[in-house]
Amino acid sequence: MRRLPLLLLPLALAACNGGTGTPVTIDVKSDDGDNGSFKMENGTVSIKGDGFQGNFKVPQIKMKADDVDLDGVKLYPKSEIAGFHITGSDKPGNGKDGGKDDGKVRIDFTSPASLAAVQSWFREGFTRKGFKFAARGDGFAGTTSDGGAFTLDLSADGGEKVRGRMEMTGS
């Protein structure tokens, strides 16, 4: 776990492709007290961990709708990613040897369409991919075809714009 911050740096640098940036955060916590965080925003990467801390200037990344895939279901076309967040925990007994991972991915986005159009897009995609899901408010909650849990919160943001937040946990 002590090397986690150094392992996150190549991930950040590999993702850089210029343009205006999408904020990216990764937070990892361990039962043994080692914690790490990675934040990339406005062309700066900040990495903090046990025994290491640094800030680096890098080209900004811009994630697009096609970069997001929930077990085969893409975001509504031309959606813009407002934030990408990963949290994870390292606990004894998790992973291959037993238990479930406590990791979560959250994606905040806006879609250029009416609420009804975005709801229909996701409903059709989830059905086509065999997800088990139900309506939850203006969005959905359920499990993907491989058993991962997800929630999708949607809200109209005036006219032809929808704000969304998708959260996924591993199976």
Side-chain angles (χ1 to χ4, degrees):
M1 187 68 177
R2 295 183 193 285
R3 293 179 290 176
L4 177 66
L6 295 176
L7 295 174
L8 294 175
L9 184 58
L11 168 69
L13 297 176
C16 297
N17 67 0
T20 59
T22 301
V24 175
T25 60
I26 301 172
D27 292 305
V28 180
K29 295 181 181 174
S30 171
D31 278 356
D32 65 6
D34 290 337
N35 299 316
S37 69
F38 165 94
K39 182 176 182 179
M40 183 165 43
E41 190 169 29
N42 299 322
T44 300
V45 170
S46 300
I47 299 176
K48 295 179 184 175
D50 187 32
F52 181 84
Q53 181 172 336
N55 294 310
F56 309 91
K57 289 286 188 188
V58 296
Q60 296 186 58
I61 65 165
K62 181 66 176 175
M63 295 178 69
K64 298 179 178 148
D66 287 342
D67 296 328
V68 177
D69 182 319
L70 174 60
D71 200 18
V73 178
K74 299 266 188 194
L75 290 183
Y76 189 87
K78 298 185 181 177
S79 291
E80 293 186 13
I81 311 300
F84 185 83
H85 314 277
I86 300 173
T87 57
S89 296
D90 179 25
K91 295 182 179 180
N94 280 358
K96 293 180 185 177
D97 298 327
K100 291 189 175 198
D101 185 1
D102 291 334
K104 183 188 294 187
V105 175
R106 185 182 88 219
I107 302 167
D108 297 312
F109 63 94
T110 58
S111 298
S114 69
L115 179 59
V118 175
Q119 289 169 323
S120 178
W121 170 268
F122 282 107
R123 187 179 302 107
E124 290 171 13
F126 296 159
T127 300
R128 184 177 61 253
K129 292 296 182 177
F131 291 16
K132 294 178 182 165
F133 68 98
R136 186 183 102 164
D138 284 334
F140 304 96
T143 56
T144 63
S145 58
D146 66 1
F150 75 91
T151 59
L152 174 62
D153 297 318
L154 301 170
S155 61
D157 193 23
E160 297 290 309
K161 188 174 180 184
V162 171
R163 289 199 181 278
R165 172 172 283 174
M166 183 180 293
E167 290 189 3
M168 301 155 281
T169 57
S171 56

